[in-house]
Amino acid sequence: MKKTNIVWIAETAIFLALLIVLQAVTASLGQFVTGSAVNFVLVAAAVIGGLWSGIVVAAVSPFLAFLLGIGPKLIAIVPFIAVGNIVLVLVYALVMKCLGSKPLVAWPVGVVAAAVLKFAALYCCIVLIVLPSLGLPDPQVATMSAMFSWPQLVTALIGGVLAALVVPPVKKALKLGK
């Protein structure tokens, strides 16, 4: 069944709202809980809503989080967070498209490849390029660098694994196919 524009907009809006609410509710629980929840929603949006739904949620959510005061406080890094999120969604969707007929292979390969490439994009852009160019105090650079290093890989892996466990039964319940 082909989705109408209204259904696509509604699904995308629901995933965007879910991501922002989860981010706000889990903010006090730390980066590992919040980041894992964010990555879970990004993968779920791409799988259930489709690639473009995932891309929209990935791109818009960091800016909304910044505006609502629940994301990073530096606007200079927000576009790069969006890029990292988009990398996660694109890589995951590409792997699923190529290996989708073999879900026992596609899910783990998609989760690992997307997590590694999101981590690499964030680390290269934010830690290696943006933070050193902002002229921030060394302790702030160290804190931000730590946030955008290995924890990004861990949270992307956790979010992807959660999506691998939750999304297939949800799709089945919603009768959205495999």
Side-chain angles (χ1 to χ4, degrees):
M1 179 171 103
K2 186 168 169 47
K3 289 184 186 181
T4 65
N5 287 341
I6 293 171
V7 170
W8 180 85
I9 290 168
E11 284 178 348
T12 303
I14 288 167
F15 279 112
L16 188 55
L18 177 63
L19 190 147
I20 295 299
V21 168
L22 279 173
Q23 202 169 357
V25 169
T26 63
S28 66
L29 301 176
Q31 179 179 4
F32 290 102
V33 174
T34 302
S36 299
V38 165
N39 288 303
F40 163 74
V41 173
L42 292 173
V43 172
V47 174
I48 294 172
L51 174 62
W52 286 106
S53 181
I55 289 173
V56 168
V57 173
V60 173
S61 61
F63 292 96
L64 287 178
F66 174 80
L67 292 173
L68 296 171
I70 57 174
K73 308 299 182 228
L74 289 174
I75 188 64
I77 66 170
V78 173
F80 299 99
I81 295 170
V83 167
N85 289 348
I86 292 168
V87 166
L88 178 90
V89 167
L90 282 173
V91 170
Y92 186 81
L94 180 62
V95 169
M96 292 307 288
K97 183 174 182 168
C98 293
L99 300 174
S101 63
K102 301 173 185 168
L104 293 177
V105 174
W107 276 99
V109 170
V111 166
V112 171
V116 167
L117 290 173
K118 177 183 181 174
F119 155 74
L122 288 173
Y123 187 83
C124 291
C125 291
I126 295 174
V127 175
L128 299 180
I129 298 169
V130 177
L131 289 176
S133 71
L134 293 177
L136 300 170
D138 288 343
Q140 188 175 7
V141 170
T143 300
M144 297 291 287
S145 293
M147 288 174 57
F148 289 99
S149 65
W150 65 269
Q152 294 297 325
L153 177 61
V154 172
T155 59
L157 287 169
I158 292 170
V161 168
L162 290 172
L165 296 172
V166 173
V167 170
V170 169
K171 282 183 69 172
K172 186 175 179 182
L174 296 173
K175 296 180 180 22
L176 295 174
K178 294 182 186 176

